Amino acid sequence: MEIVQPPAPAPMPEPSGPAVSPVTVEPPAQSPRRQRHAAWAAVAVLVVGVVVLEVGFRASRLARSLADESLYLRKGRTFESSAGADVAMTGDSRILHGFSPQVVADTVEEERGERLQVYNAGLSGAPPMAQLAWVRRLLSHPERRPRLVVLGISPYMFSSRIARNPSRESLTTLWRLQDLGSAARAGAGFEELSTIIVSNLFESVRLRPQVVQAVLEHREAGRPADTGEDGYVRLSGVDATTQAARARQRGQGYRTEMKKPEARFGNEQMGYFEQALRELRDAGVATLVINTPSASQVDMAYGPDSLYDEHLAWVKERAARYGARFADLKTVPGLGDRDFTDGDHLSAVGAQKFTEHLTREHLLPMLGGATAAGQGCRTVFAFDTPELREWTLQGEGLADAARGGRRPGQQDLTGQRGSGLFNSFTAQGDRAVGEALSPPFALDGGRLQLRVGGGGHGRDVGVALLVDGQEVARAQGRDSEGLGLRTWDVSTLRGRSARLRIWDADSGAWGHILVDEVRLCPGPGGEPSPR
């Protein structure tokens, strides 16, 4: 069978005429000027977007919460909104837990008759880089410039082995744009200066580590850092065994940082220390440099093979060069290992002892010494005997109120004068209540001073001054076992008869009152209502 093939397709005819090329449409050419405008517009959009995000982040609750976690950030910002300081002290955690502004203010008022604003600018691990940033804040405070600044310098601060990153925490937290010139004069390089600039421009960069944890690890913001009372953070005492073990461990750490030849004397912190001294001198602010206190167990780090002697000699020389005074307070009379919680940090009782010594031996003379306003006071009630003779007592809580000092179960007392005080904390703790009315006494002075502690705002406890049966002034504690000075102006009541009423009608937490050393002093001063 024959297979028939389909016919082959006819060939396509060749186009006649010339070949036609495909048409390509070219975009309209842009001028270089228009291209530049487009580029700038893109940059502007990017910048606006970044700014909007930054503004939004700064205003967010997350940013505020993360910033409050940082002691450096929170303390610096808290101080800026405060009344400033007449006297301030900078330093590391030895100062943070060892310098009590209340003790300074009380002592100066007792001796000079003036009440000063005092601030503790100590921070954990804060070397001179952070201290210079604090000096800048102190000098630029809008309300008051300090009369006296104390720089606490610890022996490890100028070692070549000081940890680099922790020592630079202040760059992102304390330093401000207006401080750039000071940082440059202290020897800051491009890295340090750019860190300060970027951290101030972008809160998200400043808080970057916390932001990363919050976003990637879903970590919630922690509790705000404790800035204490006027910057001072109290520590409770510990037993001798715990203190010694902690102190030896810290001593070993300092020995590693200070032992030669591995460690050499000198690092970037020296320039910041000198710049702080220079700026305080140029501002006319009296300056004291101290060698900070430590427990005896830490002495292992200060031997002849350490940087200690070289450190001390250099600090003394630099202080003298810039007109500052120097005091070696590594050991203080009456201050022992029992007053430390480890090798560095003083308990509340230790801080009281240290600050009183510092104030009476160094700060008061630099402020002009005692004045007539602090002289001539007479004691009305000292509470140094267990009997409250001629007092009218009501309730079971006050029968033994003047019997001794600290009671079992009570925290350590500070600010006490003499051997006793009025204390409504009993064997029942805060549960007992009562009231005490003093015998009459003549108001033959211009100021009535008394030391008060215990329960504070919101507690139904206190001490009041009665004239003709009417309350004219009252005071409370601050939820603290530290007794602070209160001064009432009674100059307009001179010659009148008065009584003190001390009451404890609160059986809850901090439901007790402490009172000690009631004195009448000459001259005006104080306030008609309690501080």
Side-chain angles (χ1 to χ4, degrees), residues 277-349:
L277 291 173
R278 185 181 298 114
E279 295 199 17
L280 289 168
R281 180 200 62 189
D282 294 347
V285 176
T287 305
L288 174 67
V289 179
I290 71 162
N291 187 27
T292 55
S294 58
S296 65
Q297 297 94 340
V298 178
D299 288 350
M300 69 171 71
Y302 302 153
D305 61 345
S306 79
L307 304 174
Y308 183 74
D309 291 338
E310 190 176 356
H311 160 89
L312 211 57
W314 186 84
V315 171
K316 286 181 181 179
E317 188 275 328
R318 284 303 187 273
R321 173 180 295 188
Y322 291 97
R325 297 190 185 187
F326 175 83
D328 188 351
L329 300 183
K330 184 176 80 68
T331 58
V332 170
L335 195 69
D337 292 342
R338 66 186 179 280
D339 297 310
F340 287 85
T341 63
D342 49 32
D344 297 301
H345 306 125
L346 290 164
S347 66
V349 172

Side-chain angles (χ1 to χ4, degrees), residues 159-348:
S159 167
S160 62
R161 301 196 69 181
I162 186 174
R164 178 178 171 86
N165 288 336
S167 71
R168 293 168 149 239
E169 184 176 354
S170 62
L171 288 175
T172 58
T173 54
L174 284 177
W175 285 88
R176 305 164 301 177
L177 291 176
Q178 60 262 46
D179 303 327
L180 284 172
S182 181
R185 288 187 291 273
F190 175 79
E191 178 187 353
E192 293 79 23
L193 297 175
S194 60
T195 298
I196 295 171
I197 293 171
V198 173
S199 297
N200 277 275
L201 293 178
F202 301 103
E203 188 80 352
S204 53
V205 174
R206 189 197 302 274
L207 300 172
R208 183 181 59 81
Q210 297 99 307
V211 171
V212 169
Q213 289 182 336
V215 173
L216 298 184
E217 301 176 14
H218 305 289
R219 182 183 71 85
E220 295 184 1
R223 297 178 58 183
D226 182 9
T227 58
E229 183 177 345
D230 295 321
Y232 163 59
V233 178
R234 295 166 57 100
L235 293 179
S236 300
V238 299
D239 61 85
T241 302
T242 301
Q243 183 276 328
R246 290 175 174 177
R248 285 192 293 269
Q249 184 176 15
R250 298 186 79 89
Q252 290 288 357
Y254 288 135
R255 181 160 177 77
T256 300
E257 290 180 332
M258 298 182 65
K259 184 181 177 182
K260 298 185 290 189
E262 293 85 0
R264 300 182 309 280
F265 180 75
N267 61 23
E268 65 180 347
Q269 300 296 332
M270 299 167 78
Y272 291 89
F273 175 59
E274 288 201 64
Q275 183 62 22
L277 291 173
R278 185 181 298 114
E279 295 199 17
L280 289 168
R281 180 200 62 189
D282 294 347
V285 176
T287 305
L288 174 67
V289 179
I290 71 162
N291 187 27
T292 55
S294 58
S296 65
Q297 297 94 340
V298 178
D299 288 350
M300 69 171 71
Y302 302 153
D305 61 345
S306 79
L307 304 174
Y308 183 74
D309 291 338
E310 190 176 356
H311 160 89
L312 211 57
W314 186 84
V315 171
K316 286 181 181 179
E317 188 275 328
R318 284 303 187 273
R321 173 180 295 188
Y322 291 97
R325 297 190 185 187
F326 175 83
D328 188 351
L329 300 183
K330 184 176 80 68
T331 58
V332 170
L335 195 69
D337 292 342
R338 66 186 179 280
D339 297 310
F340 287 85
T341 63
D342 49 32
D344 297 301
H345 306 125
L346 290 164
S347 66

Side-chain angles (χ1 to χ4, degrees), residues 109 377-381 441-451 463-467 472-473 485-491 493 498-500 517-527 531:
E109 184 172 359
C377 298
R378 75 173 180 91
T379 300
V380 182
F381 303 111
F441 59 94
L443 293 173
D444 53 8
R447 294 173 293 138
L448 184 71
Q449 292 184 342
L450 64 165
R451 305 186 73 82
V463 54
L465 178 66
L466 307 181
V467 176
V472 297
L485 190 69
R486 304 290 189 275
T487 301
W488 296 330
D489 183 354
V490 294
S491 57
L493 302 171
R499 286 183 154 185
L500 281 185
E517 197 178 50
V518 181
R519 305 192 308 167
L520 272 163
C521 300
E527 301 177 1
R531 272 190 285 272

